[in-house]
Amino acid sequence: MKIVVIGATGTIGKAVAQLLKDKGHEVIEASRSTQPAIDIADSASIDAFYKQVGEVDAIVSAAGDAVGGPIDKLTDEQVQFSINSKLQGQINVVRKGLPYLRPNGVFVITGGFLAYKPAPQTSMYAVANSGLEGFAKAVALDLTAGRRIVIVHPPWVAETAAALGMDASPWPNAATTAEAYLAAIEGSANGQPVFVEGYDPTA
Ligand SMILES: NC(=O)c1ccc[n+]([C@@H]2O[C@H](COP(=O)([O-])OP(=O)(O)OC[C@H]3O[C@@H](n4cnc5c(N)ncnc54)[C@H](OP(=O)(O)O)[C@@H]3O)[C@@H](O)[C@H]2O)c1
């Protein structure tokens, strides 16, 4: 399959791209710093990217950011950034990707466990993750010709936890997390969330 991975230079995206290449797929690795580049917070950039890449069998997004902080300290700019990047950015990756996704193709977008298990100072992540989950459920009803959409909700990834000075031992590494994206691509889920095996926050 020809698969776009947006966020392919990041902790999760790099592992997803590697796993997909190991499985023999043709992977177009994309981010703001690749060629062609894509900035999911910039509509025109998404259009230009898809125009250059053409039709594909899967579009994976492991990109988009939000700002953490206590609700009484978040600025208008931080709230807007979080919505533009992680939430609206991935909504636009799907909307604008529709004409380029072949029949039976799949969109895989990224939320996170904070949709289910919020922690203090994570309200904007929770907004993006929960919003994207509702988006995926509804978009699944609009898709045609066997096309699907799946949202992966990763837990903390060990590499990220370690970089933040947290105990990484309870968490899967990026390579294990990437397996959930592969399962989303190879499986038949549509509109449903997919979790890393053993890290279902609803369990
Ligand atoms: N790591 C975790 O523990 C964890 C847990 C739960 C959920 N998540 C979610 O998973 C996603 C990926 O996380 P990560 O830890 O892998 O992030 P990361 O290491 O910071 O990497 C982010 C990737 O996205 C790209 N990117 C960032 N903003 C972009 C934009 N506006 N347009 C296009 N590409 C952009 C970055 O490359 P450029 O800078 O070159 O654009 C990079 O490739 C995020 O949505 C995050 O919230 C992560």
Side-chain angles (χ1 to χ4, degrees):
M1 287 198 272
K2 184 176 173 187
I3 303 177
V4 167
V5 177
I6 304 168
T9 59
T11 310
I12 294 175
K14 197 187 288 181
V16 171
Q18 189 58 54
L19 180 60
L20 294 173
K21 284 189 283 185
D22 291 347
K23 295 286 176 188
H25 296 295
E26 179 192 347
V27 179
I28 297 157
E29 298 173 63
S31 81
R32 290 169 299 189
S33 52
T34 57
Q35 204 47 252
I38 180 169
D39 180 352
I40 67 168
D42 174 356
S43 246
S45 161
I46 301 174
D47 289 331
F49 174 81
Y50 280 134
K51 207 170 167 192
Q52 223 173 316
V53 165
E55 286 192 347
V56 296
D57 300 293
I59 297 171
V60 178
S61 167
D65 211 353
V67 180
I71 189 68
D72 60 335
K73 295 284 187 302
L74 288 175
T75 65
D76 289 352
E77 290 72 22
Q78 289 171 325
V79 170
Q80 197 61 60
F81 170 84
S82 304
I83 290 170
N84 285 352
S85 180
K86 184 156 180 170
L87 181 59
Q88 188 175 320
Q90 293 192 90
I91 290 171
N92 285 342
V93 162
V94 172
R95 287 177 54 235
K96 291 170 175 291
L98 277 168
Y100 298 93
L101 188 70
R102 292 182 179 133
N104 301 314
V106 58
F107 292 104
V108 184
I109 58 175
T110 299
F113 68 109
L114 294 170
Y116 290 85
K117 294 210 164 145
Q121 307 196 15
T122 62
S123 58
M124 294 317 297
Y125 287 95
V127 163
N129 297 348
S130 301
L132 290 166
E133 176 156 330
F135 173 73
K137 271 187 200 148
V139 167
L141 307 175
D142 290 341
L143 293 177
T144 56
R147 295 178 182 86
R148 298 182 296 116
I149 180 167
V150 180
I151 181 166
V152 176
H153 287 302
W156 279 116
V157 173
E159 288 89 334
T160 304
L164 294 173
M166 296 162 49
D167 175 13
S169 62
W171 307 114
N173 62 20
T176 301
T177 303
E179 297 282 354
Y181 288 78
L182 182 67
I185 292 168
E186 291 184 343
S188 57
N190 189 17
Q192 296 136 7
V194 166
F195 304 107
V196 177
E197 207 180 331
Y199 296 89
D200 179 345
T202 66

